[in-house]
Amino acid sequence: MTLWNGVLPFYPQPRHAAGFSVPLLIVILVFLALAASFLLILPGIRGHARWFWLVRVLLSLFIGAEIVAVHFSAEWFVGRVNTSTSYKAFSAARIRAHVGLHVGLEGINITLRGTPVHQLNETIDYNEQFTWRLDEDYAAEYARALEKGLPDPVLYLAEKFTPSSPCGLYQQYHLAGHYASATLWVAFCFWLLSNALLSMPAPLYGGLALLTTGAFALFAVFAFASVSSVPFCRFRLGSSALTAHYGAAFWVTLATGILCLLLGGAVVSLHYARPSALRIFLYRRVKNRSRKARGASPFVLDNPLHRQCGAPHLKLSTNI
């Protein structure tokens, strides 16, 4: 086995995990740190307001984390199949393997795992990523995969998404991924704005910002779903056909968009139906309790010099 560009063929630099990546891990850890920080100060909130703020903050963090995390997920469109297929070019050897296709907003991830893993005196466990970000060249990545000599199933699926493929999948998913990613970043900006407005006495504008967040999240879903209207190219891998369907990232984004619409609609409806009750619900649960606690102890002003001089005893008290 000879070296290719300083690395062994079939085992290039560290491989990417399907459906999971380092940026995705960073996003999850950041929002988990924010949630843990809030849980540390939660015992300082007294009474039933504690549960109100718990639900409100954790629900808001979930929405923000989901909007950011799905950018780096490869679970928008997925397909898996167990098949018997050829392994290498110019060889009649066949293997039993589990093949997976994971399509995200920034590229695809292809997995190949032998069943069992050790076949033909080799370890068959591949996980390859091909991206189409603005600064990446998908065709160049596919050419490098050919030079490295990756297995036939990986190259077959990757070739279907090249710009020159007659399937036209590259143009469809490339554009759909860009539009979905752009609308999701706009949704994230409106999520930040809604949190700021709902923390101030402006519930109407906070509700409208939340409605806009849900609308852009749904726009991202519809932008990616638009590719399903085009006939999908059939993938034949040996004796079986790989069929793909919408993945977890697609459905979670759809559910988050609907949730934002429901929450935003509830805030706007309560603003017009019962504005005073909405303000009490959003802003005065803790304030009223603190006012009551401060008002129970009067602040007394008493000058003892008046008693020494025989002056009339004056005592002033006020509730703060």
Side-chain angles (χ1 to χ4, degrees):
M1 185 176 290
T2 59
L3 290 175
W4 174 84
N5 197 23
V7 296
L8 290 173
F10 306 114
Y11 295 94
Q13 53 250 359
R15 292 169 287 174
H16 304 273
F20 209 83
S21 61
V22 174
L24 179 60
L25 177 62
I26 293 174
V27 170
I28 293 175
L29 290 179
V30 167
F31 279 92
L32 284 179
L34 293 175
S37 301
F38 172 75
L39 292 177
L40 288 177
I41 66 173
L42 185 64
I45 304 176
R46 299 179 179 179
H48 297 291
R50 178 184 304 169
W51 307 110
F52 165 75
W53 284 103
L54 175 66
V55 174
R56 177 176 174 179
V57 172
L58 292 185
L59 188 61
S60 179
L61 287 177
F62 167 76
I63 294 173
E66 191 278 334
I67 291 175
V68 179
V70 293
H71 283 89
F72 310 105
S73 174
E75 295 293 319
W76 281 81
F77 206 65
V78 297
R80 300 177 180 89
V81 66
N82 289 303
T83 183
S84 174
T85 180
S86 60
Y87 181 46
K88 298 178 182 178
F90 310 110
S91 173
R94 302 179 68 85
I95 59 170
R96 291 287 305 175
H98 177 81
V99 183
L101 172 66
H102 309 263
V103 182
L105 301 183
E106 297 183 341
I108 64 173
N109 195 291
I110 302 172
T111 60
L112 174 68
R113 183 178 179 84
T115 51
V117 176
H118 299 285
Q119 299 181 50
L120 304 178
N121 295 323
E122 293 189 25
T123 300
I124 303 173
D125 189 6
Y126 293 87
N127 205 325
E128 302 296 330
Q129 187 178 49
F130 302 86
T131 58
W132 50 57
R133 288 189 293 264
L134 292 176
D135 57 342
E136 301 287 346
D137 188 350
Y138 185 96
E141 290 190 8
Y142 176 71
R144 288 193 294 268
L146 288 173
E147 294 175 353
K148 287 185 288 187
L150 293 180
D152 277 356
V154 176
L155 295 176
Y156 171 77
L157 292 177
E159 188 274 334
K160 295 293 185 181
F161 287 86
T162 55
S164 59
S165 173
C167 293
L169 298 178
Y170 176 83
Q171 289 78 10
Q172 299 169 27
Y173 285 95
H174 185 214
L175 291 177
H178 278 313
Y179 286 127
S181 180
T183 52
L184 282 174
W185 282 121
V186 175
F188 179 73
C189 294
F190 275 100
W191 171 77
L192 293 175
L193 182 62
S194 67
N195 281 278
L197 292 174
L198 289 175
S199 300
M200 299 184 294
L204 174 61
Y205 300 106
L208 292 176
L210 201 55
L211 281 174
T212 309
T213 302
F216 276 100
L218 293 180
F219 288 160
V221 171
F222 295 149
F224 192 85
S226 63
V227 302
S228 63
S229 60
V230 181
F232 195 74
C233 192
R234 290 180 59 86
F235 295 150
R236 295 292 306 182
L237 291 167
S239 58
S240 304
L242 185 146
T243 57
H245 54 84
Y246 293 123
F250 179 89
W251 295 113
V252 172
T253 306
L254 177 62
T256 302
I258 295 174
L259 177 62
C260 291
L261 290 181
L262 293 177
L263 293 176
V267 172
V268 173
S269 301
L270 285 175
H271 173 78
Y272 288 107
R274 300 188 63 183
S276 59
L278 176 63
R279 283 187 168 84
I280 292 174
F281 181 74
L282 288 178
Y283 311 114
R284 297 184 182 178
R285 283 178 172 259
V286 179
K287 292 181 180 179
N288 287 343
R289 188 176 297 274
S290 61
R291 287 178 181 175
K292 186 183 295 185
R294 291 198 302 265
S297 57
F299 181 72
V300 179
L301 298 175
D302 188 11
N303 191 350
L305 295 177
H306 285 276
R307 293 199 294 270
Q308 296 177 3
C309 300
H313 179 66
L314 295 176
K315 181 183 289 187
L316 300 176
S317 64
T318 180
N319 289 330
I320 298 177

